[in-house]
Amino acid sequence: MRLFTVLFFMSYSLPGMAGARVEVGGVLGHFEYEERSDSGATFNQESGTLPGIQAELAFDVSDLGWIKLSGSRLFDDVRYRGMTQSGRPLKTRTDTEQTFFELTLGRPEISFHNYRFTPMVRAGLRKWQRDILPTSNTLRLNEAYRWRELGLGGSVCKNVALGWVDAWCLEGWALYTLEASVKVDLTEINAGSPSIRLGSKPGASFQAAAFMGPVEFKVFSHFWQFGKSDTKIVNRAGGGRLQVQEPASQSWLTGFAVGLRF
């Protein structure tokens, strides 16, 4: 609810926003995550459904185009399949929480044969809380990922008269992660909470939307990946050292959302 409250307040408090457009709604995503070794072998996989909420605020900026602030939060537990550090198979659940914030700038529309084209750029902040639950043979492992994401993309839209559908839009993005890091909670083994820098790699996203009056239906797909991290040496309280490293990984989030515009 905090996300909706902030956007509602901004729609009345920021100057020059008489034409502000607000949208709030629900989202249901399917999350897939995979870690791989240098040889391409799979270390572990996570998959499951993540319900959540989303909101956005858009407003025009004179003749320069428009600005959109958006955010979403998805959360639930997902299935974990992998192996322990000793190589034994491990099956458990992972409490997952993903929070996305984005600032999108769009240029004025370019019309061509009843189609509307809009070039866009985007900057995003991503947070992912990953809490791998303990089993009878393993301890809990909590990891907090954080990264920035830059995007270059565009959309094509068209007004239609097809049943209840007033218009449709397709949107695509080329993305790149920046300054990705993960904070690993190793306090259960007296090794603190080291932060590890992750390698950056390109990603992509796509969505298709249909508009029916004030209601928007959309399906989406978002792909991102991290490169293998450097090895970090961690000192344990009471003596001893650990080598901590994150393997290369890739993630997919696909699903659909329904929003109400006002």
Side-chain angles (χ1 to χ4, degrees), residues 183-197:
K183 187 175 183 180
V184 186
D185 184 358
L186 300 176
T187 54
E188 290 199 36
I189 58 173
N190 301 316
S193 298
S195 182
I196 306 171
R197 294 178 62 88

Side-chain angles (χ1 to χ4, degrees), residues 49-83:
T49 301
L50 297 177
I53 56 175
Q54 64 177 12
E56 65 180 41
L57 166 65
F59 54 96
D60 297 326
V61 184
S62 64
D63 296 328
L64 301 178
W66 49 265
I67 296 176
K68 181 171 68 176
L69 303 172
S70 57
S72 59
R73 181 174 178 266
L74 299 94
F75 47 92
D76 208 342
D77 66 300
V78 299
R79 182 181 63 183
Y80 179 100
R81 297 289 184 273
M83 62 182 67

